[in-house]
mmCIF file of all heavy atoms in Angstrom:
data_model
loop_
_atom_site.group_PDB
_atom_site.id
_atom_site.type_symbol
_atom_site.label_atom_id
_atom_site.label_comp_id
_atom_site.label_asym_id
_atom_site.label_seq_id
_atom_site.Cartn_x
_atom_site.Cartn_y
_atom_site.Cartn_z
ATOM 1 N N SER A 1 8.022 -4.039 -7.884
ATOM 2 C CA SER A 1 9.454 -4.199 -8.089
ATOM 3 C C SER A 1 9.658 -4.780 -9.523
ATOM 4 O O SER A 1 10.072 -4.126 -10.322
ATOM 5 C CB SER A 1 10.133 -5.100 -7.077
ATOM 6 O OG SER A 1 11.498 -5.414 -7.357
ATOM 7 N N PHE A 2 9.508 -6.133 -9.667
ATOM 8 C CA PHE A 2 9.778 -6.853 -10.900
ATOM 9 C C PHE A 2 8.765 -6.513 -12.042
ATOM 10 O O PHE A 2 8.980 -6.818 -13.150
ATOM 11 C CB PHE A 2 9.808 -8.346 -10.677
ATOM 12 C CG PHE A 2 10.913 -8.763 -9.827
ATOM 13 C CD1 PHE A 2 10.712 -9.276 -8.570
ATOM 14 C CD2 PHE A 2 12.293 -8.481 -10.216
ATOM 15 C CE1 PHE A 2 11.845 -9.774 -7.800
ATOM 16 C CE2 PHE A 2 13.281 -8.837 -9.329
ATOM 17 C CZ PHE A 2 13.115 -9.433 -8.134
ATOM 18 N N SER A 3 7.642 -5.824 -11.615
ATOM 19 C CA SER A 3 6.649 -5.369 -12.637
ATOM 20 C C SER A 3 6.661 -3.998 -12.977
ATOM 21 O O SER A 3 5.798 -3.503 -13.621
ATOM 22 C CB SER A 3 5.296 -5.915 -12.150
ATOM 23 O OG SER A 3 5.072 -5.481 -10.736
ATOM 24 N N GLY A 4 7.686 -3.243 -12.563
ATOM 25 C CA GLY A 4 7.831 -2.000 -13.101
ATOM 26 C C GLY A 4 7.959 -0.787 -12.277
ATOM 27 O O GLY A 4 7.826 0.300 -12.693
ATOM 28 N N GLY A 5 7.906 -0.827 -10.883
ATOM 29 C CA GLY A 5 8.037 0.273 -10.091
ATOM 30 C C GLY A 5 6.648 1.244 -9.990
ATOM 31 O O GLY A 5 6.698 2.357 -9.695
ATOM 32 N N THR A 6 5.599 0.565 -10.258
ATOM 33 C CA THR A 6 4.306 1.334 -10.182
ATOM 34 C C THR A 6 3.974 1.581 -8.787
ATOM 35 O O THR A 6 4.287 0.759 -7.778
ATOM 36 C CB THR A 6 3.146 0.314 -10.764
ATOM 37 O OG1 THR A 6 3.584 -0.081 -12.112
ATOM 38 C CG2 THR A 6 1.798 1.079 -10.824
ATOM 39 N N VAL A 7 3.426 2.815 -8.634
ATOM 40 C CA VAL A 7 3.031 3.150 -7.278
ATOM 41 C C VAL A 7 1.575 2.942 -7.009
ATOM 42 O O VAL A 7 0.626 3.318 -7.728
ATOM 43 C CB VAL A 7 3.232 4.843 -7.128
ATOM 44 C CG1 VAL A 7 2.858 5.265 -5.843
ATOM 45 C CG2 VAL A 7 4.721 5.070 -7.337
ATOM 46 N N TRP A 8 1.293 2.165 -5.877
ATOM 47 C CA TRP A 8 0.030 1.950 -5.485
ATOM 48 C C TRP A 8 -0.860 3.216 -5.121
ATOM 49 O O TRP A 8 -0.322 4.111 -4.421
ATOM 50 C CB TRP A 8 -0.005 1.023 -4.251
ATOM 51 C CG TRP A 8 0.134 -0.492 -4.564
ATOM 52 C CD1 TRP A 8 1.339 -1.150 -4.728
ATOM 53 C CD2 TRP A 8 -0.855 -1.408 -4.664
ATOM 54 N NE1 TRP A 8 1.021 -2.427 -5.043
ATOM 55 C CE2 TRP A 8 -0.235 -2.665 -4.856
ATOM 56 C CE3 TRP A 8 -2.250 -1.478 -4.450
ATOM 57 C CZ2 TRP A 8 -0.946 -3.890 -4.972
ATOM 58 C CZ3 TRP A 8 -2.998 -2.627 -4.601
ATOM 59 C CH2 TRP A 8 -2.381 -3.791 -4.826
ATOM 60 N N ASP A 9 -2.012 3.140 -5.481
ATOM 61 C CA ASP A 9 -3.063 4.107 -5.123
ATOM 62 C C ASP A 9 -3.317 3.940 -3.641
ATOM 63 O O ASP A 9 -3.711 2.886 -3.154
ATOM 64 C CB ASP A 9 -4.401 4.138 -5.849
ATOM 65 C CG ASP A 9 -5.318 5.131 -5.340
ATOM 66 O OD1 ASP A 9 -5.146 6.280 -5.609
ATOM 67 O OD2 ASP A 9 -6.300 4.659 -5.009
ATOM 68 N N LEU A 10 -3.325 5.020 -2.828
ATOM 69 C CA LEU A 10 -3.463 5.002 -1.343
ATOM 70 C C LEU A 10 -4.951 4.425 -0.939
ATOM 71 O O LEU A 10 -5.109 3.602 -0.186
ATOM 72 C CB LEU A 10 -3.256 6.331 -0.704
ATOM 73 C CG LEU A 10 -3.535 6.363 0.777
ATOM 74 C CD1 LEU A 10 -2.599 5.447 1.586
ATOM 75 C CD2 LEU A 10 -3.266 7.846 1.290
ATOM 76 N N ALA A 11 -5.929 5.073 -1.691
ATOM 77 C CA ALA A 11 -7.284 4.608 -1.455
ATOM 78 C C ALA A 11 -7.589 3.039 -1.713
ATOM 79 O O ALA A 11 -8.152 2.428 -0.913
ATOM 80 C CB ALA A 11 -8.308 5.414 -2.320
ATOM 81 N N GLU A 12 -6.861 2.590 -2.682
ATOM 82 C CA GLU A 12 -6.969 1.147 -2.978
ATOM 83 C C GLU A 12 -6.295 0.276 -2.153
ATOM 84 O O GLU A 12 -6.773 -0.759 -1.602
ATOM 85 C CB GLU A 12 -6.498 0.744 -4.483
ATOM 86 C CG GLU A 12 -6.742 -0.631 -4.872
ATOM 87 C CD GLU A 12 -8.339 -0.821 -4.994
ATOM 88 O OE1 GLU A 12 -9.030 0.084 -5.247
ATOM 89 O OE2 GLU A 12 -8.802 -2.001 -4.821
ATOM 90 N N MET A 13 -4.984 0.799 -1.501
ATOM 91 C CA MET A 13 -4.391 0.051 -0.454
ATOM 92 C C MET A 13 -5.276 -0.053 0.781
ATOM 93 O O MET A 13 -5.357 -1.139 1.396
ATOM 94 C CB MET A 13 -3.133 0.818 -0.031
ATOM 95 C CG MET A 13 -1.978 0.715 -1.127
ATOM 96 S SD MET A 13 -0.530 1.590 -0.671
ATOM 97 C CE MET A 13 0.030 0.784 0.809
ATOM 98 N N ARG A 14 -6.023 1.035 1.036
ATOM 99 C CA ARG A 14 -6.792 0.979 2.304
ATOM 100 C C ARG A 14 -7.996 0.114 2.089
ATOM 101 O O ARG A 14 -8.448 -0.432 3.048
ATOM 102 C CB ARG A 14 -7.196 2.530 2.674
ATOM 103 C CG ARG A 14 -6.029 3.269 3.232
ATOM 104 C CD ARG A 14 -6.347 4.755 3.544
ATOM 105 N NE ARG A 14 -5.248 5.376 4.136
ATOM 106 C CZ ARG A 14 -5.239 6.645 4.502
ATOM 107 N NH1 ARG A 14 -6.264 7.496 4.207
ATOM 108 N NH2 ARG A 14 -4.280 7.189 5.145
ATOM 109 N N ARG A 15 -8.589 0.157 0.917
ATOM 110 C CA ARG A 15 -9.692 -0.798 0.643
ATOM 111 C C ARG A 15 -9.201 -2.119 0.759
ATOM 112 O O ARG A 15 -10.100 -3.078 1.430
ATOM 113 C CB ARG A 15 -10.221 -0.541 -0.756
ATOM 114 C CG ARG A 15 -10.954 0.775 -0.911
ATOM 115 C CD ARG A 15 -11.462 0.921 -2.360
ATOM 116 N NE ARG A 15 -12.614 -0.131 -2.673
ATOM 117 C CZ ARG A 15 -12.621 -0.863 -3.746
ATOM 118 N NH1 ARG A 15 -11.680 -0.744 -4.656
ATOM 119 N NH2 ARG A 15 -13.612 -1.738 -3.873
ATOM 120 N N ILE A 16 -8.116 -2.557 0.275
ATOM 121 C CA ILE A 16 -7.555 -3.924 0.484
ATOM 122 C C ILE A 16 -7.347 -4.162 2.029
ATOM 123 O O ILE A 16 -7.729 -5.259 2.355
ATOM 124 C CB ILE A 16 -6.261 -4.089 -0.244
ATOM 125 C CG1 ILE A 16 -6.573 -4.117 -1.824
ATOM 126 C CG2 ILE A 16 -5.568 -5.338 0.117
ATOM 127 C CD1 ILE A 16 -5.400 -3.911 -2.685
ATOM 128 N N ARG A 17 -6.835 -3.245 2.693
ATOM 129 C CA ARG A 17 -6.520 -3.398 4.071
ATOM 130 C C ARG A 17 -7.899 -3.653 4.834
ATOM 131 O O ARG A 17 -7.996 -4.657 5.626
ATOM 132 C CB ARG A 17 -5.836 -2.134 4.726
ATOM 133 C CG ARG A 17 -5.787 -2.096 6.079
ATOM 134 C CD ARG A 17 -5.547 -0.707 6.597
ATOM 135 N NE ARG A 17 -6.841 0.104 6.399
ATOM 136 C CZ ARG A 17 -6.926 1.436 6.478
ATOM 137 N NH1 ARG A 17 -5.897 2.175 6.721
ATOM 138 N NH2 ARG A 17 -8.022 2.061 6.354
ATOM 139 N N ASP A 18 -8.845 -2.933 4.607
ATOM 140 C CA ASP A 18 -10.141 -3.013 5.258
ATOM 141 C C ASP A 18 -10.834 -4.337 4.971
ATOM 142 O O ASP A 18 -11.324 -4.992 5.839
ATOM 143 C CB ASP A 18 -10.971 -1.882 4.847
ATOM 144 C CG ASP A 18 -10.464 -0.575 5.480
ATOM 145 O OD1 ASP A 18 -9.640 -0.584 6.318
ATOM 146 O OD2 ASP A 18 -10.921 0.523 5.004
ATOM 147 N N VAL A 19 -10.810 -4.738 3.700
ATOM 148 C CA VAL A 19 -11.419 -6.074 3.232
ATOM 149 C C VAL A 19 -10.732 -7.217 3.982
ATOM 150 O O VAL A 19 -11.412 -8.113 4.530
ATOM 151 C CB VAL A 19 -11.379 -6.195 1.681
ATOM 152 C CG1 VAL A 19 -11.775 -7.677 1.326
ATOM 153 C CG2 VAL A 19 -12.313 -5.220 0.965
ATOM 154 N N ALA A 20 -9.453 -7.158 3.973
ATOM 155 C CA ALA A 20 -8.690 -8.224 4.534
ATOM 156 C C ALA A 20 -9.030 -8.326 6.043
ATOM 157 O O ALA A 20 -9.369 -9.291 6.664
ATOM 158 C CB ALA A 20 -7.200 -8.020 4.311
ATOM 159 N N GLN A 21 -8.873 -7.197 6.836
ATOM 160 C CA GLN A 21 -9.159 -7.174 8.267
ATOM 161 C C GLN A 21 -10.529 -7.544 8.590
ATOM 162 O O GLN A 21 -10.740 -8.108 9.647
ATOM 163 C CB GLN A 21 -8.636 -5.860 8.868
ATOM 164 C CG GLN A 21 -7.090 -5.583 8.697
ATOM 165 C CD GLN A 21 -6.684 -4.343 9.194
ATOM 166 O OE1 GLN A 21 -7.433 -3.314 9.180
ATOM 167 N NE2 GLN A 21 -5.371 -4.158 9.379
ATOM 168 N N ALA A 22 -11.435 -7.178 7.814
ATOM 169 C CA ALA A 22 -12.880 -7.463 8.079
ATOM 170 C C ALA A 22 -13.240 -8.975 8.010
ATOM 171 O O ALA A 22 -14.091 -9.399 8.634
ATOM 172 C CB ALA A 22 -13.766 -6.630 7.108
ATOM 173 N N ARG A 23 -12.241 -9.587 7.206
ATOM 174 C CA ARG A 23 -12.388 -11.042 7.039
ATOM 175 C C ARG A 23 -11.547 -11.863 7.885
ATOM 176 O O ARG A 23 -11.291 -12.980 7.748
ATOM 177 C CB ARG A 23 -12.217 -11.435 5.533
ATOM 178 C CG ARG A 23 -13.216 -10.791 4.591
ATOM 179 C CD ARG A 23 -14.449 -11.601 4.570
ATOM 180 N NE ARG A 23 -14.347 -12.756 3.946
ATOM 181 C CZ ARG A 23 -14.372 -13.121 2.619
ATOM 182 N NH1 ARG A 23 -14.512 -12.196 1.732
ATOM 183 N NH2 ARG A 23 -14.231 -14.434 2.260
ATOM 184 N N GLY A 24 -10.806 -11.100 8.757
ATOM 185 C CA GLY A 24 -9.940 -11.807 9.764
ATOM 186 C C GLY A 24 -8.527 -11.958 9.339
ATOM 187 O O GLY A 24 -7.734 -12.629 10.055
ATOM 188 N N LEU A 25 -8.061 -11.349 8.322
ATOM 189 C CA LEU A 25 -6.729 -11.476 7.788
ATOM 190 C C LEU A 25 -5.960 -10.273 8.313
ATOM 191 O O LEU A 25 -6.483 -9.253 8.721
ATOM 192 C CB LEU A 25 -6.653 -11.456 6.241
ATOM 193 C CG LEU A 25 -7.035 -12.730 5.538
ATOM 194 C CD1 LEU A 25 -8.442 -12.945 5.536
ATOM 195 C CD2 LEU A 25 -6.535 -12.652 4.179
ATOM 196 N N VAL A 26 -4.622 -10.340 8.289
ATOM 197 C CA VAL A 26 -3.766 -9.262 8.612
ATOM 198 C C VAL A 26 -3.272 -8.582 7.354
ATOM 199 O O VAL A 26 -3.231 -9.289 6.299
ATOM 200 C CB VAL A 26 -2.597 -9.592 9.556
ATOM 201 C CG1 VAL A 26 -3.038 -10.204 10.881
ATOM 202 C CG2 VAL A 26 -1.662 -10.600 8.745
ATOM 203 N N ALA A 27 -2.857 -7.373 7.276
ATOM 204 C CA ALA A 27 -2.468 -6.612 6.112
ATOM 205 C C ALA A 27 -1.119 -6.174 6.228
ATOM 206 O O ALA A 27 -0.770 -5.567 7.372
ATOM 207 C CB ALA A 27 -3.439 -5.405 5.819
ATOM 208 N N HIS A 28 -0.184 -6.466 5.354
ATOM 209 C CA HIS A 28 1.258 -6.351 5.499
ATOM 210 C C HIS A 28 1.762 -5.437 4.269
ATOM 211 O O HIS A 28 1.211 -5.705 3.099
ATOM 212 C CB HIS A 28 1.965 -7.589 5.541
ATOM 213 C CG HIS A 28 3.511 -7.568 5.322
ATOM 214 N ND1 HIS A 28 4.188 -7.109 6.411
ATOM 215 C CD2 HIS A 28 4.316 -7.970 4.370
ATOM 216 C CE1 HIS A 28 5.585 -7.226 5.931
ATOM 217 N NE2 HIS A 28 5.597 -7.686 4.772
ATOM 218 N N ILE A 29 2.685 -4.534 4.415
ATOM 219 C CA ILE A 29 3.254 -3.770 3.476
ATOM 220 C C ILE A 29 4.703 -4.125 3.210
ATOM 221 O O ILE A 29 5.586 -4.050 4.205
ATOM 222 C CB ILE A 29 3.227 -2.166 3.681
ATOM 223 C CG1 ILE A 29 1.724 -1.752 3.684
ATOM 224 C CG2 ILE A 29 3.868 -1.483 2.621
ATOM 225 C CD1 ILE A 29 1.632 -0.294 4.011
ATOM 226 N N ASP A 30 5.025 -4.628 2.079
ATOM 227 C CA ASP A 30 6.536 -4.854 1.647
ATOM 228 C C ASP A 30 6.959 -3.467 1.039
ATOM 229 O O ASP A 30 6.602 -3.105 0.095
ATOM 230 C CB ASP A 30 6.560 -5.987 0.633
ATOM 231 C CG ASP A 30 8.052 -6.073 0.021
ATOM 232 O OD1 ASP A 30 8.752 -5.064 0.137
ATOM 233 O OD2 ASP A 30 8.229 -7.145 -0.492
ATOM 234 N N GLY A 31 7.589 -2.837 2.011
ATOM 235 C CA GLY A 31 7.937 -1.349 1.762
ATOM 236 C C GLY A 31 9.452 -1.214 1.214
ATOM 237 O O GLY A 31 9.983 -0.063 1.553
ATOM 238 N N ALA A 32 9.881 -2.189 0.449
ATOM 239 C CA ALA A 32 11.302 -2.061 -0.048
ATOM 240 C C ALA A 32 11.490 -0.761 -0.698
ATOM 241 O O ALA A 32 12.616 -0.107 -0.567
ATOM 242 C CB ALA A 32 11.419 -3.172 -1.078
ATOM 243 N N ARG A 33 10.512 -0.239 -1.516
ATOM 244 C CA ARG A 33 10.731 1.130 -2.181
ATOM 245 C C ARG A 33 9.528 2.042 -1.733
ATOM 246 O O ARG A 33 9.137 2.939 -2.532
ATOM 247 C CB ARG A 33 10.831 0.933 -3.634
ATOM 248 C CG ARG A 33 12.085 0.158 -4.085
ATOM 249 C CD ARG A 33 12.134 0.001 -5.518
ATOM 250 N NE ARG A 33 13.463 -0.723 -5.892
ATOM 251 C CZ ARG A 33 13.635 -2.024 -5.875
ATOM 252 N NH1 ARG A 33 12.666 -2.748 -5.518
ATOM 253 N NH2 ARG A 33 14.782 -2.563 -6.151
ATOM 254 N N LEU A 34 9.038 1.797 -0.553
ATOM 255 C CA LEU A 34 7.999 2.744 -0.093
ATOM 256 C C LEU A 34 8.317 4.201 -0.122
ATOM 257 O O LEU A 34 7.563 5.045 -0.407
ATOM 258 C CB LEU A 34 7.605 2.364 1.356
ATOM 259 C CG LEU A 34 6.509 3.203 2.132
ATOM 260 C CD1 LEU A 34 5.275 3.178 1.421
ATOM 261 C CD2 LEU A 34 6.340 2.640 3.537
ATOM 262 N N LEU A 35 9.606 4.478 0.187
ATOM 263 C CA LEU A 35 10.000 5.907 0.308
ATOM 264 C C LEU A 35 10.150 6.574 -1.200
ATOM 265 O O LEU A 35 9.986 7.748 -1.297
ATOM 266 C CB LEU A 35 11.334 6.034 1.044
ATOM 267 C CG LEU A 35 11.197 5.559 2.549
ATOM 268 C CD1 LEU A 35 12.554 5.692 3.253
ATOM 269 C CD2 LEU A 35 10.096 6.346 3.314
ATOM 270 N N ASN A 36 10.278 5.668 -2.156
ATOM 271 C CA ASN A 36 10.188 6.168 -3.386
ATOM 272 C C ASN A 36 8.807 6.556 -3.819
ATOM 273 O O ASN A 36 8.636 7.541 -4.576
ATOM 274 C CB ASN A 36 10.804 5.185 -4.571
ATOM 275 C CG ASN A 36 12.281 5.119 -4.503
ATOM 276 O OD1 ASN A 36 12.847 4.229 -3.745
ATOM 277 N ND2 ASN A 36 12.993 5.920 -5.126
ATOM 278 N N ALA A 37 7.853 5.834 -3.317
ATOM 279 C CA ALA A 37 6.438 6.196 -3.465
ATOM 280 C C ALA A 37 6.166 7.486 -2.753
ATOM 281 O O ALA A 37 5.394 8.337 -3.318
ATOM 282 C CB ALA A 37 5.531 5.063 -2.977
ATOM 283 N N VAL A 38 6.719 7.669 -1.650
ATOM 284 C CA VAL A 38 6.463 8.915 -0.900
ATOM 285 C C VAL A 38 7.119 10.080 -1.707
ATOM 286 O O VAL A 38 6.489 11.109 -1.829
ATOM 287 C CB VAL A 38 7.252 8.865 0.429
ATOM 288 C CG1 VAL A 38 7.196 10.136 1.235
ATOM 289 C CG2 VAL A 38 6.450 7.808 1.330
ATOM 290 N N ALA A 39 8.281 9.822 -2.254
ATOM 291 C CA ALA A 39 8.893 11.028 -3.027
ATOM 292 C C ALA A 39 8.025 11.239 -4.404
ATOM 293 O O ALA A 39 7.921 12.379 -4.813
ATOM 294 C CB ALA A 39 10.290 10.587 -3.466
ATOM 295 N N ALA A 40 7.407 10.253 -4.837
ATOM 296 C CA ALA A 40 6.677 10.399 -6.009
ATOM 297 C C ALA A 40 5.419 11.090 -5.842
ATOM 298 O O ALA A 40 4.803 11.805 -6.719
ATOM 299 C CB ALA A 40 6.401 9.092 -6.772
ATOM 300 N N THR A 41 4.633 10.819 -4.659
ATOM 301 C CA THR A 41 3.330 11.383 -4.417
ATOM 302 C C THR A 41 3.247 12.444 -3.493
ATOM 303 O O THR A 41 2.233 13.228 -3.382
ATOM 304 C CB THR A 41 2.461 10.111 -3.986
ATOM 305 O OG1 THR A 41 2.878 9.721 -2.720
ATOM 306 C CG2 THR A 41 2.470 8.976 -5.021
ATOM 307 N N GLY A 42 4.235 12.552 -2.618
ATOM 308 C CA GLY A 42 4.090 13.475 -1.580
ATOM 309 C C GLY A 42 3.214 13.048 -0.279
ATOM 310 O O GLY A 42 3.118 13.789 0.620
ATOM 311 N N ILE A 43 2.853 11.782 -0.444
ATOM 312 C CA ILE A 43 1.961 11.225 0.689
ATOM 313 C C ILE A 43 3.014 10.809 1.817
ATOM 314 O O ILE A 43 3.963 9.902 1.478
ATOM 315 C CB ILE A 43 1.060 10.149 0.141
ATOM 316 C CG1 ILE A 43 0.104 10.732 -0.892
ATOM 317 C CG2 ILE A 43 0.362 9.414 1.253
ATOM 318 C CD1 ILE A 43 -0.664 9.621 -1.636
ATOM 319 N N PRO A 44 2.777 11.111 3.005
ATOM 320 C CA PRO A 44 3.737 10.692 4.068
ATOM 321 C C PRO A 44 3.689 9.172 4.207
ATOM 322 O O PRO A 44 2.562 8.511 4.006
ATOM 323 C CB PRO A 44 3.255 11.368 5.279
ATOM 324 C CG PRO A 44 2.480 12.603 4.819
ATOM 325 C CD PRO A 44 1.844 12.057 3.508
ATOM 326 N N ALA A 45 4.886 8.564 4.638
ATOM 327 C CA ALA A 45 4.822 7.220 4.889
ATOM 328 C C ALA A 45 3.847 6.641 5.866
ATOM 329 O O ALA A 45 3.363 5.508 5.735
ATOM 330 C CB ALA A 45 6.278 6.685 5.292
ATOM 331 N N ALA A 46 3.506 7.454 6.843
ATOM 332 C CA ALA A 46 2.634 7.168 7.891
ATOM 333 C C ALA A 46 1.251 6.975 7.356
ATOM 334 O O ALA A 46 0.529 6.123 7.885
ATOM 335 C CB ALA A 46 2.762 8.181 9.106
ATOM 336 N N ASP A 47 0.875 7.803 6.399
ATOM 337 C CA ASP A 47 -0.378 7.681 5.764
ATOM 338 C C ASP A 47 -0.443 6.301 5.017
ATOM 339 O O ASP A 47 -1.642 5.632 4.931
ATOM 340 C CB ASP A 47 -0.687 8.854 4.817
ATOM 341 C CG ASP A 47 -0.951 10.075 5.509
ATOM 342 O OD1 ASP A 47 -1.046 10.064 6.780
ATOM 343 O OD2 ASP A 47 -1.066 11.241 4.817
#
């Protein structure tokens, strides 16, 4: 948001998710503009 509307790479998101969960943390998505990312990439929100 405040750093420019950059779209996260899906593979990196999943790597972060997996590292966190493997170490006992939970993984959360602040999806305020998640649907803009969907529109930009064509990747479904569920993915």
Side-chain angles (χ1 to χ4, degrees):
S1 174
F2 294 118
S3 48
T6 304
V7 177
W8 276 83
D9 175 70
L10 176 60
E12 190 63 31
M13 288 179 64
R14 289 178 171 177
R15 289 182 65 225
I16 290 168
R17 175 201 66 192
D18 293 345
V19 165
Q21 292 174 344
R23 298 280 295 275
L25 284 71
V26 298
H28 171 71
I29 297 176
D30 174 336
R33 296 178 178 85
L34 173 62
L35 298 182
N36 285 95
V38 172
T41 64
I43 297 172
D47 286 354

